[in-house]
């Protein structure tokens, strides 16, 4: 009877040990599967993060290229506007012109290009500024058989008026294209040629 109880206990113990081993193996297997699953999920997550970073970098590069293109278009538009705009004599330039001639009352000749309204309008502004300051000014249109002069030309005069006018206007931001000898030795002539192209 006692032997039977001992055998039964041993059998139960053996079964319990086997069950324990099976449960341990199952737990280990589950842990391993969980590890593999977690590792796979991490790898997938890393891939997705790397792809997202790559996409973001690509988007930044595209945005940078788009900004550069927009800036280039803006520069071209501004250049086209400046090229099409008519020249104007600024207050600073008009003041520089009048100041350069303050110590003389000799007549001044303003010449524009016949048939070029932009040249005539710009020349009108020189004439108006000089007349407003009390100078004697004659303005005339001049036609040219070949290509008309381009830009602003100031005559050379023995008394240095031409040099002073050219210097003062350039200091005030107006580009003087060139100097020329007057038709009469002492004439101060401001020749307003056609507008130079910017490009």
């Amino acid at each position: 009877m006692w032997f039977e109880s001992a055998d039964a206990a041993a059998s139960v113990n053996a079964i319990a040990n086997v069950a324990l081993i099976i449960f341990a193996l199952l737990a280990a297997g589950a842990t391993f599967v969980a590890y593999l699953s977690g590792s796979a999920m991490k790898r997938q997550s890393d891939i997705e993060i790397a792809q997202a970073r790559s996409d973001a970098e690509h988007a930044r590069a595209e945005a940078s290229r788009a900004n550069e293109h927009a800036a280039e278009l803006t520069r071209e538009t501004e250049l086209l506007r400046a090229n099409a705009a008519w020249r104007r004599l600024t207050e600073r330039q008009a003041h520089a012109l009048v100041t350069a001639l303050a110590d003389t009352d000799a007549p001044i000749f303003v010449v524009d290009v016949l048939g070029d309204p932009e040249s005539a309008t710009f020349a009108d502004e020189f004439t108006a500024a000089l007349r407003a300051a009390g100078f004697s000014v004659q303005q005339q249109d001049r036609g040219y058989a070949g290509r008309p002069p381009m830009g602003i030309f100031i005559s050379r005069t023995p008394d240095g008026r031409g040099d002073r006018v050219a210097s003062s206007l350039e200091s005030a931001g107006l580009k003087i294209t060139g100097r020329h000898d007057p038709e009469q030795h002492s004439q101060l002539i401001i020749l307003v040629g056609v507008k130079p192209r910017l490009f």
Side-chain angles (χ1 to χ4, degrees):
M1 185 86 171
W2 180 81
F3 291 110
E4 291 178 5
S5 296
D7 288 341
S11 295
V12 169
N13 188 36
I15 291 169
N17 285 336
V18 169
L20 185 60
I21 290 168
I22 290 170
F23 284 129
L25 289 173
L26 288 174
T31 302
F32 183 66
V33 168
Y35 169 77
L36 289 179
S37 175
S39 181
M41 288 176 64
K42 184 178 184 309
R43 280 196 304 275
Q44 182 61 32
S45 175
D46 289 345
I47 290 169
E48 289 174 359
I49 289 170
Q51 184 61 46
R53 285 178 178 162
S54 174
D55 290 346
E57 188 61 34
H58 180 71
R60 278 194 293 272
E62 286 294 321
S64 177
R65 280 192 290 273
N67 286 338
E68 287 173 10
H69 183 62
E72 181 62 27
L73 288 176
T74 299
R75 283 190 294 272
E76 288 177 7
T77 300
E78 291 303 319
L79 191 58
L80 287 170
R81 282 181 182 159
N83 199 52
W86 285 16
R87 293 168 291 179
R88 301 299 307 268
L89 193 67
T90 65
E91 286 185 20
R92 181 181 172 210
Q93 290 162 357
H95 178 72
L97 172 64
V98 168
T99 302
L101 295 169
D103 60 350
T104 180
D105 58 0
I108 302 158
F109 298 85
V110 177
V111 178
D112 60 76
V113 177
L114 181 66
D116 183 351
E118 193 277 341
S119 166
T121 302
F122 196 28
D124 289 344
E125 295 190 359
F126 280 85
T127 299
L130 290 166
R131 283 183 179 157
F135 291 100
S136 171
V137 186
Q138 294 181 36
Q139 182 174 338
Q140 64 182 31
D141 299 324
R142 183 170 296 172
Y144 294 87
R147 294 183 69 175
M150 188 175 289
I152 308 291
F153 295 83
I154 309 290
S155 66
R156 296 181 179 90
T157 58
D159 60 4
R161 284 178 301 152
D163 292 333
R164 288 198 309 274
V165 168
S167 258
S168 295
L169 287 174
E170 286 200 309
S171 295
L174 183 63
K175 179 177 172 52
I176 302 302
T177 308
R179 309 296 304 281
H180 62 87
D181 293 324
E183 292 157 14
Q184 293 181 24
H185 190 57
S186 62
Q187 283 182 340
L188 173 59
I189 302 172
I190 300 171
L191 171 59
V192 180
V194 297
K195 179 182 177 182
R197 289 184 61 82
L198 299 179
F199 58 90

